[in-house]
Amino acid sequence: HYSASANVEVKPNIHVGKTKAYVPQKIDEKHMQYFWKSTIGNFEGKNVTEITYEDEIKDAIIDNQTVANTHYTYAKTLQDELYKNENLIVRSSENHQPFSKGQYQWTLECYDASGNKIDNNNTTQPVHSFKIHITSSSPLKVENIEIHYSTIGDISKVTEGATANYGNKASIPSFNNNPLNNVTTETQQEYKNVKVLEKQVSLYNENIVNNQPSYVSGKLNVNYDKIAE
């Protein structure tokens, strides 16, 4: 009688959360900058040697319609945010401090709306999704991983009085080179094109028509002799 056994990889109940990191900022009359924070955690004591993070920057939904090319970032901007500003943090579960950069490696891949890869130094082609691959030659005891970055929302197509929602979806498809399913989360940020209230005034009795004052908007020329009467 022969028996065989195999080591089965036990997958932790990994959680990925996404929140709005900061108050949005207006870039110009046509664009807003939105800030995001993704947190990956709940490793349940499992050491980490590999993890993959994927992010989909979803176009704005305006009046229940998805409007193409209204939400994106640029590869060079994203690369600079993550590399130069150290907005990717892998935190130790032992001392709750970030690991040094030499203790793990990571790569960034950016894609356009059709899934074509974009060079990380590109500054003109909109990025609609990206992937971060984190690896370590030595197993790491990880408390959580934080990823901070920003996106651009095109608000030029949001008509007066309308509301647009800019969505962002995060997922973890791989942990220690084993596939994960349904580890995903999604959130959104809202922009309202507030209707400007127009203030009108009436000064003189002769502006009354049918017992109702006649109002004007815009620049008002005042005849002070009329007021004194």
Side-chain angles (χ1 to χ4, degrees):
H1 175 73
Y2 294 94
S3 63
S5 62
N7 293 323
V8 178
E9 176 71 19
V10 179
K11 300 172 186 175
N13 185 28
I14 291 177
H15 168 78
V16 56
K18 180 175 285 292
T19 58
K20 308 163 191 177
Y22 305 103
V23 176
Q25 294 182 357
K26 196 168 188 178
I27 300 172
D28 53 39
E29 292 304 311
K30 295 183 178 180
H31 302 92
M32 294 289 292
Q33 185 176 22
Y34 293 102
F35 300 91
W36 310 87
K37 172 187 172 183
S38 294
T39 304
I40 308 162
N42 202 26
F43 293 101
E44 298 178 346
K46 292 288 291 182
N47 290 338
V48 178
T49 56
E50 181 275 339
I51 192 164
T52 301
Y53 171 89
E54 292 182 349
D55 197 290
E56 180 185 356
I57 304 169
K58 308 189 81 170
D59 281 319
I61 298 176
I62 307 172
D63 294 331
N64 297 317
Q65 297 291 324
T66 300
V67 182
N69 300 315
T70 51
H71 192 203
Y72 52 87
T73 186
Y74 294 109
K76 186 66 165 63
T77 300
L78 181 60
Q79 178 177 249
D80 287 349
E81 286 179 335
L82 297 176
Y83 278 87
K84 290 185 178 180
N85 299 337
E86 297 186 347
N87 282 329
L88 190 154
I89 303 167
V90 181
R91 188 171 284 107
S92 169
S93 62
E94 296 182 305
N95 59 14
H96 311 294
Q97 298 298 313
F99 286 105
S100 66
K101 297 301 181 185
Q103 291 178 277
Y104 63 95
Q105 300 77 43
W106 61 277
T107 58
L108 171 69
E109 294 180 6
C110 299
Y111 303 91
D112 65 14
S114 300
N116 301 308
K117 193 173 179 179
I118 300 174
D119 185 270
N120 286 353
N121 290 310
N122 189 288
T123 60
T124 59
Q125 194 171 359
V127 170
H128 289 269
S129 65
F130 63 90
K131 180 188 298 184
I132 296 173
H133 188 222
I134 301 171
T135 58
S136 175
S137 55
S138 301
L140 300 178
K141 294 184 182 298
V142 176
E143 180 178 21
N144 57 44
I145 299 170
E146 289 183 11
I147 302 170
H148 301 252
Y149 65 98
S150 67
T151 57
I152 299 169
D154 184 341
I155 59 175
S156 65
K157 297 178 176 64
V158 187
T159 57
E160 191 176 79
T163 298
N165 288 298
Y166 297 84
N168 200 298
K169 182 179 180 181
S171 60
I172 308 296
S174 172
F175 172 75
N176 288 351
N177 297 305
N178 290 286
L180 294 179
N181 297 316
N182 303 317
V183 181
T184 184
T185 189
E186 186 172 344
T187 190
Q188 60 188 16
Q189 301 202 44
E190 184 181 86
Y191 172 79
K192 291 183 179 180
N193 188 349
V194 180
K195 188 174 182 179
V196 178
L197 179 64
E198 187 178 68
K199 191 173 183 180
Q200 297 183 320
V201 295
S202 176
L203 278 179
Y204 314 127
N205 288 337
E206 64 236 40
N207 287 342
I208 295 179
V209 179
N210 296 326
N211 294 320
Q212 293 295 325
S214 176
Y215 292 93
V216 296
S217 59
K219 187 175 180 180
L220 184 66
N221 293 318
V222 179
N223 186 331
Y224 291 97
D225 293 333
K226 290 279 188 180
I227 296 176
E229 290 178 358

